[in-house]
Amino acid sequence: MTDSLTARVGALLDARLERNVAPPVVLALSGGGDSMALLHIAAGWARAAGRRLLAITVDHGLNPDAAAWSRRCAEAARAVGADWIERRWEGDKPATGLPAAARHARHALIAEAARDAGAKVVLIAHTADDIAESDWMRARGTTLGGLREWSPSPAWPEGRGLMLLRPMLNERREDLRAWLRGRGQGWIEDPGNEGFGRGKARRALLPVPEGGGRIVYDPTTGLRLAERGDASSAERVRGMAATGWHRNLSPFRASPIAGAPGRSSPLPLGEGFIWAGEALAMTLLCAAGHDRLPRSERLAALADRLAGGDPFTATLAGARIEASADRVIIGREAGELKRRAPEPLALYTDTPAVWDGRYEITACAAGWSVIPTLGRLNRLSKADRALADTVPPWGRGALPVLIRDGSDAPVLAWREAEVRALAPRRLSLALGETTQECDLHGTIHGETPPPDLF
């Protein structure tokens, strides 16, 4: 007989994931009580659903017991029929900001391994306690993002096209440990969890009341608003919960500009967006190709200018904003490529490479490298120059061009390689426009140029 915890989590896995397909579902396995509980539940679901489960453990190189912990994770994964691999955070560790750096490295390593395995979804064992702790920390100045049941990987560009599924956000940490104890299963207690801001948050917060559902926090202040029961899993997946509050637990919230219709439209060569008023911070990051949020006061000032409706041009976080009477265009600030000129990116045959965080380029032949068009427009062929001229003047210098080894004659990358613009899908996933694993396949609008251009 299926117990209630297994039934609740299994229903969420069923609502989001495909059955009987070849790519694996990945599970981030630290060996702690939360991830061990999810391992056992997900393994049972995978067997019934005809899916392969791949557990990934990250050794951060920060604890002398890490090797023993990895061995325990491997044994636990294989005991339930899951595959297991380890990834290690190599190199020097920062003297300050270690928790954030470790979190970034962990997400990037898991994302790379998941993509290498052909996975589209990573299961993460965050709980209701993690929501409360993260919001407590954010209210005190940290830049932690909110936790959502279904959200894009925060690692960029390693996590491109990859979604995180957190099916236990309504569960209590202690309840999961009691569930494991009842089945004779153990887990690892990492003393590092009690240090830094996370440990302070755990000590400061009262338990979630029995039967109280999820604690809801104001996404701007991080302060507690109320306790609300959760919508049904099917309602969440359709994105039609009455209040929509669960969609806003993200640092990339919708813009405060009210009444902006529709959705942002990608420009033909992936150089930016015609902005429709939503998710200003995320649109800036997608256009600029990185993951460094702008400072909150500068973002608020830009939002105020946009709300005023006056024409202006501005730059922020590596993006350029052009506001006119009838539209707002957000694209890459080409001047950044001049101030911080990237090294030529060598391409290898049939091996995708990410350039400037905005394009995935796969060469069909050896000997090509990618560089920006900036300063090379006059050396393009007449046909390529005509295509570049279809791009707004400010965006032309940020287009990718290819050069051959030993030559300085550039060609637009689309001529000699398969080029996929990454920003359209990145923004679409951040806005919650994709709600299930089956929606993650195929090409979406804006990833490739119109066929009549090349």
Side-chain angles (χ1 to χ4, degrees), residues 29-32 36 57-60 62-76 84 86 187-193:
L29 182 63
S30 68
M36 290 293 269
T57 299
V58 174
D59 178 353
H60 298 85
L62 299 174
N63 192 295
D65 294 325
W69 293 348
S70 289
R71 285 194 298 272
R72 189 166 178 179
C73 287
E75 292 167 1
W84 179 87
E86 181 189 57
W187 63 89
I188 297 165
E189 290 288 0
D190 182 357
N193 287 335

Side-chain angles (χ1 to χ4, degrees), residues 382-407:
K382 185 176 180 180
D384 277 0
R385 182 58 190 267
L387 282 171
D389 286 346
T390 66
V391 173
W394 52 263
R396 294 169 191 166
L399 295 175
V401 293
L402 304 184
I403 54 171
R404 274 280 191 189
D405 294 345
S407 169

Side-chain angles (χ1 to χ4, degrees), residues 88-108:
R88 295 180 180 179
W89 184 23
E90 307 282 4
D92 296 334
K93 308 301 187 288
T96 60
L98 182 60
R103 185 170 57 252
H104 182 274
R106 179 169 61 253
H107 276 293

